[in-house]
């Protein structure tokens, strides 16, 4: 399955400690085309959630695992865009350590991220409205050369979910808020997409086994 770019809900929701941790991308959730209002203007934006399982330690030297012994997971939502100011473009260029070429900017298959390792810089931010502190993905960088032959073994199975090739079994594993987010998409509501972003395209293909397969 490909996603062309022009909260897992499990465990005990233990917060990821701030710092730089080894991350492996294991899940991509296509959120479909979402309506967002910015400065009074309604926009239709294709969205995707990227999930990483983490390896590392917290401030006290304890491993980043939940009460079940599973790796902690962190995720980030992006607009499927490679525009100059797009957060997805900045994250991917930082992850791979180089800028996209003009040819690559014509269309990048985000599904190539599945199985790829990186270093995930996690920071904490407190919401001014709720007062809650959240762990956020601050930046992504390539895995250091010294770790490329010592990558942790994958823990969670790889997951690719598409609203255009809807898989009920995968959808049923999502927590309620994620299900609601997917169901709020233009595609799932059956509304017209004439003003939406171009289709992502969905085609199964092999993913190279590499540190940065993009």
């Amino acid at each position: 399955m490909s996603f062309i770019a022009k909260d897992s809900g499990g465990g005990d929701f233990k917060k990821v400690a701030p710092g730089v941790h080894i991350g492996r991308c294991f899940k991509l959730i296509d959120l479909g085309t979402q309506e967002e209002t910015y400065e009074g203007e309604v926009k239709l934006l294709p969205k995707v959630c990227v999930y990483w399982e983490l390896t590392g330690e917290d401030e006290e030297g304890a491993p980043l695992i939940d009460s079940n012994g599973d790796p902690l997971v962190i995720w980030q939502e992006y607009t499927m865009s490679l525009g100059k100011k797009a957060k997805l473009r900045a994250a991917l260029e930082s992850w791979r350590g180089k800028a996209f070429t003009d040819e690559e900017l014509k269309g990048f298959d985000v599904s190539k991220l599945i199985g790829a390792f990186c270093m995930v810089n996690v920071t904490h931010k407190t919401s001014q409205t709720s007062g809650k502190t959240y762990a956020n993905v601050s930046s992504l960088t390539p895995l250091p050369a010294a770790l490329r032959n010592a990558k942790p073994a994958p823990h969670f199975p790889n997951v690719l979910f598409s609203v255009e090739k809807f898989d009920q079994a995968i959808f049923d594993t999502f927590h309620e808020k994620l299900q609601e987010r997917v169901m709020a998409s233009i595609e799932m509501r059956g509304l017209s997409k004439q003003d939406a972003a171009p289709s992502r395209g969905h085609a199964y293909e092999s993913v190279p086994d590499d540190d940065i397969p993009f």
Side-chain angles (χ1 to χ4, degrees), residues 50-203:
V50 183
Y51 290 73
W52 295 267
E53 61 180 36
L54 302 176
T55 301
E57 298 178 343
D58 62 19
E59 300 97 324
E60 300 177 353
L64 297 178
I65 57 176
D66 63 19
S67 59
N68 297 319
D70 295 322
L72 293 184
V73 170
I74 197 166
W75 61 272
Q76 184 70 42
E77 180 178 315
Y78 297 99
T79 298
M80 292 281 284
S81 170
L82 293 182
K84 290 182 179 180
K85 297 182 180 180
K87 292 183 179 179
L88 178 61
R89 177 175 174 177
L92 295 181
E93 290 186 334
S94 177
W95 183 342
R96 68 194 227 144
K98 61 180 180 179
F100 284 110
T101 65
D102 290 341
E103 185 64 26
E104 289 172 327
L105 289 173
K106 294 179 181 178
F108 172 72
D109 185 355
V110 180
S111 72
K112 292 181 179 180
L113 302 178
I114 285 286
F117 285 81
C118 63
M119 302 303 294
V120 182
N121 185 11
V122 178
T123 57
H124 284 183
K125 184 176 182 180
T126 301
S127 170
Q128 295 182 349
T129 55
S130 68
K132 295 182 179 180
T133 300
Y134 298 92
N136 297 294
V137 176
S138 177
S139 63
L140 306 169
T141 53
L143 200 68
L147 295 177
R148 291 175 187 169
N149 293 324
K151 297 189 295 289
H155 183 85
F156 294 112
N158 294 337
V159 176
L160 288 164
F161 175 82
S162 163
V163 294
E164 293 180 3
K165 287 187 177 293
F166 189 88
D167 188 315
Q168 187 67 50
I170 295 178
F171 180 80
D172 288 342
T173 67
F174 298 166
H175 57 80
E176 184 177 356
K177 287 186 177 180
L178 181 56
Q179 289 183 344
E180 291 175 354
R181 182 78 164 140
V182 172
M183 295 306 294
S185 68
I186 295 295
E187 291 84 352
M188 296 308 298
R189 287 190 287 156
L191 302 180
S192 170
K193 295 192 294 179
Q194 292 180 352
D195 298 323
S199 171
R200 301 158 189 75
H202 299 280

